[in-house]
C-alpha cells in the first residue's frame, strides 16, 4: 500500500536530518574510497578492473567491475550461495564477446550503509576471489580499515593498523 511508502520516506528523511547531509556525503566518500582501495589491490596482478579508472568520475554509491567471462557470474553465484551476499549484475556492460555480461559485477554502497557492512561485503568477495584465483592479494582489510577509520574514528587505532600492514608486507 502507498501509505507504507510514505512511512518509509518519513523515516529516511528523519535519518538524513539526524546524520546531516554533509556527514552523509563524507561517509559515502570514505566508504567508496575503501571499496576502490580493495578493488585496486585485488586487481594488481589479475583481470579485475574498475569500470571507471578516474576516481573523480566514479559514483560514490555504486562501483562496477570487470573480471572476465564467466568469472563475474561465478563470483556472484559463490557470494550468494556461500556468504549470503548479493552482488549486482553488470548493467549495460554487454559486449560482443560477453553478450550476457557474465564477466561483470557491481557493489552497491548506497543508502544507510556503514563500515561494518562494507567490510563484510569485501571479506566475502575476497573469499570468493580466492576460491577462483590463486593470485588474490591478501591484507585488503588493513588497506580498507585505514581508509575507513582514519577520517572517522580512533586516531590511535589507524596507527596500529598501519603498523600491522607494514609488518605483514615486510614478511611476504
Amino acid at each position: 500500500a502507498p501509505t507504507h511508502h510514505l512511512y518509509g520516506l518519513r523515516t529516511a528523511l528523519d535519518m538524513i536530518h539526524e546524520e546531516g547531509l554533509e556527514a552523509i556525503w563524507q561517509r559515502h566518500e570514505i566508504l567508496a574510497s575503501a571499496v576502490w582501495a580493495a578493488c585496486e589491490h585485488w586487481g594488481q596482478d589479475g583481470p579485475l578492473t574498475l569500470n571507471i579508472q578516474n576516481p573523480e568520475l566514479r559514483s560514490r554509491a555504486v562501483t562496477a567491475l570487470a573480471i572476465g567471462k564467466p568469472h563475474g557470474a561465478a563470483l556472484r553465484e559463490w557470494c550468494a550461495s556461500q556468504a549470503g551476499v548479493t552482488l549486482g549484475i553488470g548493467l549495460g556492460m554487454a559486449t560482443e564477446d560477453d553478450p550476457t555480461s557474465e564477466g561483470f559485477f557491481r557493489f552497491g554502497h548506497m543508502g544507510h550503509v556503514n563500515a561494518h557492512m562494507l567490510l563484510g561485503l569485501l571479506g566475502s568477495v575476497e573469499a570468493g576471489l580466492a576460491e577462483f584465483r590463486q593470485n588474490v592479494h591478501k591484507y585488503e582489510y588493513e588497506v580498507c580499515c585505514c581508509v575507513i577509520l582514519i577520517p572517522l574514528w580512533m586516531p590511535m587505532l589507524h596507527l596500529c593498523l598501519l603498523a600491522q600492514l607494514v609488518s605483514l608486507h615486510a614478511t611476504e
Side-chain angles (χ1 to χ4, degrees):
T3 306
H4 298 292
H5 292 281
L6 293 174
Y7 286 126
L9 177 60
R10 173 77 266 158
T11 300
L13 292 171
D14 289 344
M15 292 168 70
I16 290 169
H17 179 72
E18 182 179 326
E19 185 176 355
L21 200 51
E22 294 292 330
I24 291 170
W25 289 335
Q26 180 185 18
R27 175 171 48 88
H28 283 279
E29 182 74 30
I30 291 165
L31 296 178
S33 295
V35 168
W36 304 336
C39 294
E40 289 167 353
H41 187 74
W42 291 329
Q44 287 178 5
D45 294 329
L48 184 76
T49 59
L50 289 154
N51 186 40
I52 306 294
Q53 296 303 311
N54 183 344
E56 295 299 316
L57 301 176
R58 295 177 189 156
S59 168
R60 276 39 180 182
V62 177
T63 298
L65 300 116
I67 193 169
K69 179 183 177 182
H71 304 295
L75 180 62
R76 289 193 311 268
E77 171 58 31
W78 188 94
C79 286
S81 66
Q82 301 300 312
V85 172
T86 302
L87 301 179
I89 61 172
L91 292 174
M93 305 292 281
T95 65
E96 194 172 296
D97 296 335
D98 187 3
T100 58
S101 303
E102 292 182 16
F104 303 91
F105 63 97
R106 288 177 296 125
F107 296 136
H109 39 91
M110 62 193 88
H112 191 64
V113 65
N114 61 38
H116 309 297
M117 295 173 187
L118 192 68
L119 290 172
L121 164 73
L122 296 175
S124 298
V125 169
E126 182 170 286
L129 289 171
E131 189 74 17
F132 300 110
R133 296 175 36 203
Q134 295 299 315
N135 63 343
V136 171
H137 283 267
K138 301 296 184 197
Y139 314 121
E140 110 287 346
Y141 284 111
E142 287 83 355
V143 173
C144 294
C145 284
C146 290
V147 169
I148 291 170
L149 293 177
I150 288 171
L152 291 181
W153 320 291
M154 302 176 265
M156 292 309 293
L157 180 59
H158 83 271
L159 293 175
C160 295
L161 289 170
L162 286 172
Q164 182 182 11
L165 178 63
V166 169
S167 69
L168 286 171
H169 287 289
T171 59
E172 287 186 335

